[in-house]
Amino acid sequence: MAGTAHAAAGALLSALVLAPGGARAQQAALTMAVGAPVTSLDPHYHQLSPNNAAASMIFDRLVNTDHQSRMVPGLATEWRVVEPTVWEFKLRPGVRFHNGQEFTADDVAFTIARVPNVPNSPSSFAIYTRPIREVQVVDPLTIRFRTEMPYPLMPMDMSNLFILDRQTHEGAATEDFNGGRAAVGTGPFRVVSHRNGDRIEFERNDAYWGDRPAFARVNYRMITNDAARTAALLAGDVEFIDQVPTSDLAKLRGDQRVALSEATGMRIIFLGLDHMRTDASPFVTDNNGQPLPRNPLKDVRVRRALSLAIDRHAIVDRVMEGAATPSGQYLPAGIYSHVPGLEAPRADPDAARRLLAEAGYPQGFRIQLNGPNDRYINDSRIIQAVGQMWTRIGVRTAVEAQPWPTFIGRAGRQEFSAFLVGWGSNPEGSHPLRNLSATWDRERGWGASNRGRYSNPELDRMIEQALSELDDAKREKILQDAQRLAMEDVAIIPLHIQTNIWAMRRNLAHTARADELTRAQDVRPAAAATSR
Amino acid sequence: MSSTTLGAAPVPAVPPKIETPFHRFVAEFAASPIAVGALVVFAIIALVAILAPWIAPQNPYDLAVLDIMDGRLEPGSVGGTGITHWLGTDDQGRDMLSGIMYGLRISLTVGAGSALIACLVGASLGMLAAYAGGRTDSAIMRLVDLQLSFPAILAALMILAFLGKGILNVVIAIVVVEWAYYARTVRGSALVERRREYIEAAQCLALPTHRVIFRHLLPNCLPPLIVVGTMQIARAIALEATLSFLGLGVPITEPSLGLLIANGYEYMLSGKYWISFYPGIALLVTIVSINLVGDQLRDVLNPRLKK
């Protein structure tokens, strides 16, 4: 390890002394540390970012996603709708699994059949296979999926499923993957060894069909303690870390030995409000502490006032130390169905006070803002800052932060009047809309995380319309209109979108990903980066 | 030991000089300049805590006067509101000096309050155990053993997990984990005192039990109780700070010293030392001064330690 660090330092030094770009750091191995443990190498066991990151080093999907979460050809080279309810995927020829088995349409059929049948899955991938009524293998390199209704999200669903081999994985259990025997895919790396919750060792798959990774060997360690992970990087024990704590950002930015890479993520941090009650809301009172007869949060003017009171730029600047983007909608810019021109509202306390007065609360009222203290980056600091800003427009705010399990249980039972939560989105407007702002409906699975119980029939109708529109451009338009409607009605109060931050030794470069995945194929020597 | 250690006793048998027990106590206490210094420091801290709402530059608990844009200012900077922050500000823009003053209020209130309640509960039970003896004694003392065998912080964490956050619950938790110390101390000295002649005399006069306990037995058990009480105030302050540091004590918008330290410690590596450092110093000075006073009290009030 020390030898690697020395070699790296030497390469860096010579690169500085000699002509820039002249000396290329020749490094065969990479040691990286991630903050969240990989819980399994079975790619269909648990929908969790760390697992998906490891899986996308070993396996491929029919549709891969690039660093901005755009869909790009993976094991499928093209896909199209052949009938309104039939999708056809053309598969990549000449692809082989790590053990030499050939990849064919039959392996895709096997994968689709396996996904819903993984025992004890804590968070199943079956939602991505459920719309498929019938799988038809047309020829070894063509496969068709028949659905009941027109289903535009099929390619996106396929970008979540890692493809296995029928010959290798028939009957393979999750334990076989964790032991390494069954961890055989078509991806850029093969597994050498795996110690659960501690480290995975990879070596490069030299027969990979796509871009060849820069490193022949990768040591993928899991260091969950933030301070320990940062310290390991500074000490040179590891060369690359993810989930850099914002309180360490200032120090790392000033450190000559370290470079940072960042990408706007897909996780929106927002405030939910009690839309359910028309009478008294549990944590809203008048200025003397007496319950109000009506829930002021039902009035859109009050909701707008609360949103306008918030200085999102101050929160991003002072609380998040720049590691976030202020937001006025569900999705970040550059993502499909992001609404152009819908900016984060500028703080305007005077306008907010006027709106409150118009709504009949010239003296404001009292409210309690709840939130977690261990789930999102700086969560309890954010709600205190919002508390300051609301108090300044006359809405005297008490702030209460709780551990996540307690908090989210109570939020799910509609116990709060106002609360902070986050949502990691898929790159498609229907995903946050359907989960966060559609009318709650257990049967349909809509509004599953709509904890304020916002309900707007017009919005529901638009989401429904979008979900059966196969034309991407038309669907995008409907989704943008739907999001605009939800934001005008202040269904939620968006605050900011978190930035994903990685840190590495200065001799490395990294393509930062919007989807939070930390993968070795995105890391390369810095000299190679400048030549690109 | 004689019955003349504290003022509650009757006239001393042979007055050697014109000196009340209180005078002697003061003179013996003042023999240690360190203890006197500690007492002065503690008096200043207590005064600052009491006067905080009038002398603090800012009300750190009023969200309306805090500005996030003033967050993490260095000591000596002038914030957007025109206040000079002599000890800097924390991440929410709270003036650290004001935060420490108000934090001391919480620390001392919780410390003194919980120590007093724990003392009342513990002393009553200890006295009862000593006077009643037999099964009552065994039952109470086994409970004390059980309580003392539990790490204080663990017991407090469990109680707060059950009761929920809040300053009142912190006091309850501290009382629950600390009453046993008082009970054991009082029982010990009450057992000794109970066999003395003046108690027998009182009992022979057929005085009611409560009168014997409260007028005769208790006053003579007070000296060790005062010593233990002083030490337990310091312990209670430290325990409150620990619980708040762990996020189980006070609300996040009304930080005590422990929570101020917790707020700052994540910024330590980034060179913003003052958010944790100054509340830590305040806590340290408070606890040390109380302990020094307590040490001297023990020396003065415990005749066995007299040379």
Side-chain angles (χ1 to χ4, degrees):
Chain A
M1 198 95 65
T4 321
H6 273 141
L12 180 64
L13 193 65
S14 56
L16 288 171
V17 173
L18 300 171
R24 268 189 60 174
Q26 279 304 320
Q27 217 180 348
L30 171 70
T31 306
M32 51 206 296
V34 294
V38 176
T39 63
S40 172
L41 290 188
D42 183 339
H44 305 144
Y45 177 66
H46 192 175
Q47 279 203 72
L48 199 67
S49 295
N51 290 17
N52 291 342
S56 69
M57 290 173 67
I58 309 165
F59 306 94
D60 275 305
R61 296 156 287 187
L62 288 186
V63 179
N64 282 346
T65 50
D66 71 1
H67 64 284
Q68 287 182 303
S69 291
R70 287 177 302 216
M71 292 185 277
V72 293
L75 289 178
T77 49
E78 55 185 303
W79 48 88
R80 66 193 173 99
V81 179
V82 285
E83 287 168 44
T85 58
V86 177
W87 277 91
E88 183 181 272
F89 287 76
K90 286 278 183 199
L91 305 183
R92 191 176 292 278
V95 175
R96 287 183 181 277
F97 285 88
H98 297 156
N99 58 4
Q101 294 281 350
E102 202 171 339
F103 160 71
T104 64
D106 185 47
D107 298 323
V108 179
F110 166 75
T111 301
I112 302 291
R114 179 185 191 257
V115 165
N117 298 314
V118 177
N120 305 322
S121 169
S123 162
S124 173
F125 286 76
I127 50 159
Y128 304 118
T129 56
R130 193 170 295 148
I132 300 175
R133 285 279 160 268
E134 191 195 328
V135 178
Q136 187 194 356
V137 175
V138 181
D139 63 56
L141 293 178
T142 310
I143 194 160
R144 286 183 176 176
F145 301 129
R146 185 179 294 279
T147 55
E148 207 148 273
M149 309 275 286
Y151 191 66
L153 301 186
M154 185 64 74
M156 183 168 303
D157 281 1
M158 285 304 120
S159 76
N160 288 291
L161 290 183
F162 295 96
I163 302 297
L164 300 182
D165 177 38
R166 184 185 289 277
Q167 279 72 29
T168 313
H169 296 108
E170 187 92 69
T174 297
E175 294 72 38
D176 298 324
F177 286 88
N178 294 345
R181 289 187 304 284
V184 172
T186 58
F189 290 95
R190 60 176 86 216
V191 177
V192 177
S193 70
H194 172 227
R195 263 195 284 162
N196 212 354
D198 178 52
R199 68 185 64 198
I200 311 171
E201 288 189 48
F202 294 100
E203 66 179 13
R204 184 168 55 204
N205 169 18
D206 285 315
Y208 187 54
W209 57 266
D211 288 340
R212 187 180 133 103
F215 297 97
R217 291 187 73 87
V218 174
N219 188 354
Y220 196 85
R221 294 176 58 189
M222 300 153 216
I223 305 180
T224 50
N225 183 293
D226 282 346
R229 200 165 58 254
T230 309
L233 176 74
L234 292 176
D237 289 346
V238 303
E239 295 147 283
F240 185 93
I241 61 169
D242 68 358
Q243 296 183 19
V244 178
T246 56
S247 52
D248 286 343
L249 275 179
K251 183 183 52 159
L252 291 176
R253 284 209 171 99
D255 195 316
Q256 290 302 310
R257 299 166 299 173
V258 173
L260 297 176
S261 74
E262 33 196 273
T264 300
M266 302 288 289
R267 189 177 292 283
I268 175 85
I269 301 297
F270 65 94
L271 303 178
L273 299 174
D274 177 9
H275 293 276
M276 187 176 76
R277 298 174 182 84
T278 42
D279 55 348
S281 190
F283 288 105
V284 176
T285 64
D286 68 12
N287 285 319
N288 302 317
Q290 300 304 312
L292 284 166
R294 282 177 304 119
N295 176 6
L297 304 171
K298 291 292 277 186
D299 190 324
V300 68
R301 291 170 295 191
V302 173
R303 300 202 293 271
R304 276 192 197 133
L306 292 178
S307 180
L308 278 176
I310 299 169
D311 187 344
R312 291 165 174 81
H313 289 89
I315 291 178
V316 164
D317 195 38
R318 307 301 306 185
V319 181
M320 299 299 291
E321 311 220 20
T325 311
S327 185
Q329 56 179 306
Y330 300 89
L331 294 167
I335 298 293
Y336 174 80
S337 70
H338 166 88
V339 189
L342 187 56
E343 300 295 333
R346 285 245 155 236
D348 192 343
D350 295 327
R353 271 186 222 103
R354 277 198 300 278
L355 278 167
L356 277 183
E358 255 177 59
Y361 303 95
Q363 303 304 318
F365 53 88
R366 286 197 204 179
I367 195 167
Q368 180 172 312
L369 175 59
N370 291 74
N373 57 14
D374 56 0
R375 176 68 179 85
Y376 308 109
I377 301 171
N378 297 325
D379 40 18
S380 70
R381 294 199 174 103
I382 297 166
I383 52 176
Q384 288 180 70
V386 171
Q388 291 182 9
M389 294 159 184
W390 281 1
T391 303
R392 236 168 268 138
I393 63 159
V395 179
R396 291 203 76 85
T397 308
V399 176
E400 170 79 23
Q402 286 173 306
W404 174 253
T406 321
F407 164 79
I408 200 62
R410 295 184 66 190
R413 292 190 296 271
Q414 283 69 53
E415 285 184 24
F416 300 136
S417 295
F419 53 93
L420 175 131
V421 273
W423 178 259
S425 270
N426 278 353
E428 219 257 5
S430 66
H431 187 249
L433 279 173
R434 191 149 56 126
N435 281 289
L436 300 178
S437 300
T439 303
W440 181 71
D441 181 341
R442 194 194 295 271
E443 303 287 291
R444 286 207 291 185
W446 282 33
S449 297
N450 180 357
R451 301 190 177 87
R453 295 286 186 265
Y454 176 76
S455 175
N456 182 341
E458 173 68 8
L459 182 70
D460 293 346
R461 198 188 53 72
M462 290 167 93
I463 301 172
E464 228 159 62
Q465 194 191 345
L467 283 177
S468 55
E469 177 56 67
L470 287 165
D471 185 294
D472 283 348
K474 280 187 195 153
R475 192 169 76 256
E476 182 167 33
K477 171 81 176 56
I478 302 169
L479 289 172
Q480 286 169 340
D481 289 345
Q483 292 178 82
R484 210 173 270 124
L485 174 72
M487 289 299 108
E488 270 165 24
D489 205 26
V490 201
I492 61 165
I493 300 180
L495 296 179
H496 56 251
I497 289 170
Q498 287 182 358
T499 303
N500 306 323
I501 304 186
W502 292 264
M504 65 215 79
R505 305 293 291 186
R506 194 148 273 232
N507 59 331
L508 296 177
H510 174 238
T511 308
R513 290 181 68 85
D515 61 10
E516 303 179 11
L517 301 191
T518 302
R519 322 183 306 171
Q521 60 261 48
D522 302 321
V523 188
R524 59 199 175 274
T530 51
S531 69
R532 278 194 176 183
Chain B
M1 192 188 285
S2 77
S3 57
T4 57
T5 8
L6 260 190
V11 185
V14 193
K17 287 180 216 153
I18 316 160
E19 114 180 318
T20 65
F22 181 71
H23 280 128
R24 206 168 69 208
F25 166 75
V26 169
E28 284 181 24
F29 186 88
S32 161
I34 294 178
V36 175
L39 191 63
V40 171
V41 169
F42 179 72
I44 293 172
I45 289 173
L47 209 61
V48 165
I50 292 166
L51 296 178
W54 295 277
I55 58 174
Q58 184 188 68
N59 177 359
Y61 299 161
D62 183 1
L63 283 180
V65 304
L66 302 184
D67 190 344
I68 191 107
M69 296 314 284
D70 287 341
R72 304 193 300 273
L73 291 179
E74 282 187 35
S77 335
V78 179
T81 45
I83 300 174
T84 307
H85 302 289
W86 294 110
L87 300 184
T89 61
D90 74 357
D91 58 300
Q92 294 290 324
R94 195 175 280 118
D95 178 50
M96 289 311 298
L97 181 62
S98 313
I100 291 170
M101 288 175 168
Y102 275 74
L104 283 172
R105 253 170 110 79
I106 298 183
S107 294
L108 293 185
T109 313
V110 169
S114 58
L116 194 72
I117 300 172
C119 180
L120 284 177
V121 174
S124 311
L125 285 171
M127 197 70 72
L128 180 67
Y131 199 83
R135 278 196 180 171
T136 319
D137 186 23
S138 309
I140 293 176
M141 291 329 283
R142 288 308 77 75
L143 201 60
V144 167
D145 290 340
L146 195 71
Q147 181 68 61
L148 291 182
S149 63
F150 240 86
I153 185 70
L154 183 64
L157 281 175
M158 280 163 50
I159 294 162
L160 283 180
F162 181 71
L163 293 178
K165 281 164 70 164
I167 201 76
L168 195 65
N169 291 343
V170 170
V171 172
I172 293 173
I174 297 178
V175 168
V176 170
V177 301
E178 295 215 320
W179 69 271
Y181 291 91
Y182 297 95
R184 176 165 278 184
T185 310
V186 166
R187 175 177 172 271
S189 48
L191 274 182
V192 174
E193 295 296 322
R194 201 167 81 96
R195 300 201 188 87
R196 290 190 184 270
E197 295 81 355
Y198 68 93
I199 297 291
E200 278 177 17
Q203 283 170 334
C204 288
L205 287 172
L207 292 177
T209 310
H210 65 88
R211 194 176 157 96
V212 176
I213 291 181
F214 289 106
R215 294 297 295 274
H216 298 273
L217 195 50
L218 183 62
N220 289 293
C221 298
L222 269 183
L225 202 55
I226 290 171
V227 174
V228 172
T230 319
M231 299 299 198
Q232 292 301 325
I233 290 177
R235 248 177 68 98
I237 290 175
L239 196 54
E240 185 277 326
T242 310
L243 293 171
S244 292
F245 181 86
L246 295 173
L248 288 161
V250 292
I252 49 175
T253 46
E254 295 173 16
S256 66
L257 294 177
L259 189 54
L260 286 174
I261 295 171
N263 283 344
Y265 106 108
E266 278 176 48
Y267 294 103
M268 288 287 246
L269 279 176
S270 306
K272 298 186 169 46
Y273 67 92
W274 59 89
I275 309 177
S276 285
F277 182 73
Y278 292 119
I281 293 291
L283 190 63
L284 183 85
V285 170
T286 309
I287 292 178
V288 167
S289 66
I290 295 177
N291 276 339
L292 287 176
V293 170
D295 267 352
Q296 182 66 5
L297 279 179
R298 187 187 58 206
D299 292 356
V300 172
L301 293 177
N302 188 346
R304 261 170 298 184
L305 287 174
K306 277 189 189 149
K307 289 165 197 139

